[in-house]
Amino acid sequence: MPYEPPTHSVERSLRRAGAQLVAGLDEVGRGAWAGPVTVGAAVTGLRRPPEGLTDSKLLTEKRRTELAPVLADWVTAYALGHASAQECDELGMTAALRLAAVRALEALPVRPDAVILDGKHDYLGGPWRVRTVIKGDQSCVCVSAASVLAKVKRDAMMAEIGLDHPEFGFADNAGYPSPVHRAALDEYGPTGQHRLSWAYLDALPRWSHLKRSRFTEAADEQLSLGF
């Protein structure tokens, strides 16, 4: 399916407003049942991006895998941050996303003046200067780059985790629900990589006693504030 290539238009507007260095952020793994949530941060400048760059979800696995090392060499800087399954359970997803994003941003060699965040909601917040962009992973070059780099890295992490749990098919489903994943959960129960606050445990009577309360008081407070 044809798609419009991403541009630097949002980054240019932030630069006109005084931001010298702009980073794009995108997350992967938010809806998975197992594994970390990962946030990629990429600084690209205003150079023309590699051919075919777009949201990682619009690319085949083969194309993403080919593009990731090209992007790693092309970007000005990039970093990845992760929040573990246990941190997702303990903090709730909003706070876990923020934790992963801060880890990614703080791992960059230079602190960005502004951040373009994919999506509608600002889960990052202050002191970062944030511009949210719906479908930013398709429309903004730096967010697209972060999307591909984060997706390829997290998929590789899940494949490695899957070596210890081959029955779950993590190399194929990356911790998201699939028939193989669902069948393994029913038979063997959750692993140490599973998020125990997710609703899938409600449908597994043998293992539902393992379910944890999904949010801490801090996360509940964030939700009440509209994050």
Side-chain angles (χ1 to χ4, degrees):
M1 178 182 298
Y3 51 82
E4 289 293 321
T7 71
H8 294 295
S9 62
V10 177
E11 185 171 347
R12 289 182 192 277
S13 73
L14 288 168
R15 287 184 170 224
R16 288 193 295 270
Q20 296 279 325
L21 191 74
V22 179
L25 261 65
D26 196 25
E27 56 79 19
V28 60
R30 182 199 296 252
W33 290 358
V37 63
T38 297
V39 174
V43 178
T44 64
L46 300 178
R47 293 169 297 145
R48 182 175 180 176
E51 188 70 27
L53 177 64
T54 188
D55 172 17
S56 64
K57 296 186 293 295
L58 298 179
L59 299 172
T60 65
E61 180 182 1
K62 180 177 183 294
R63 180 58 184 144
R64 285 195 304 266
T65 304
E66 293 171 345
L67 189 56
V70 175
L71 285 171
D73 290 336
W74 174 80
V75 297
T76 303
Y78 81 96
L80 303 173
H82 312 280
S84 69
Q86 290 74 24
E87 288 171 326
C88 291
D89 285 330
E90 291 167 4
L91 301 173
M93 183 48 68
T94 298
L97 280 168
R98 185 177 195 279
L99 179 62
V102 169
R103 285 170 173 168
L105 288 167
E106 291 183 343
L108 290 172
V110 181
R111 182 185 177 95
D113 302 306
V115 171
I116 303 173
L117 187 63
D118 178 56
K120 180 180 179 180
H121 300 292
D122 176 11
Y123 58 76
L124 181 58
W128 307 92
R129 178 182 174 186
V130 177
R131 173 79 63 88
T132 57
V133 178
I134 296 173
K135 294 188 177 180
D137 48 9
Q138 294 181 37
S139 61
C140 301
V141 170
C142 56
V143 182
S144 294
S147 169
V148 173
L149 291 165
K151 171 65 173 169
V152 171
K153 176 60 177 178
R154 187 180 180 278
D155 282 358
M157 291 172 65
M158 292 307 299
E160 185 173 353
I161 290 170
L163 296 176
D164 294 327
H165 308 284
E167 61 275 10
F168 285 86
F170 288 155
D172 297 318
N173 59 50
Y176 285 84
S178 70
V180 169
H181 190 171
R182 291 172 185 270
L185 270 170
D186 186 48
E187 179 68 21
Y188 303 105
T191 70
Q193 295 291 336
H194 278 88
R195 303 173 188 176
L196 299 182
S197 59
W198 259 233
Y200 67 84
L201 279 172
D202 294 336
L204 299 172
R206 292 174 60 193
W207 311 107
S208 59
H209 64 284
L210 298 175
K211 188 175 181 182
R212 296 184 57 180
S213 176
R214 187 161 188 176
F215 300 116
T216 62
E217 291 182 5
D220 277 331
E221 182 180 355
Q222 288 188 356
L223 286 178
S224 70
L225 294 173
F227 286 95

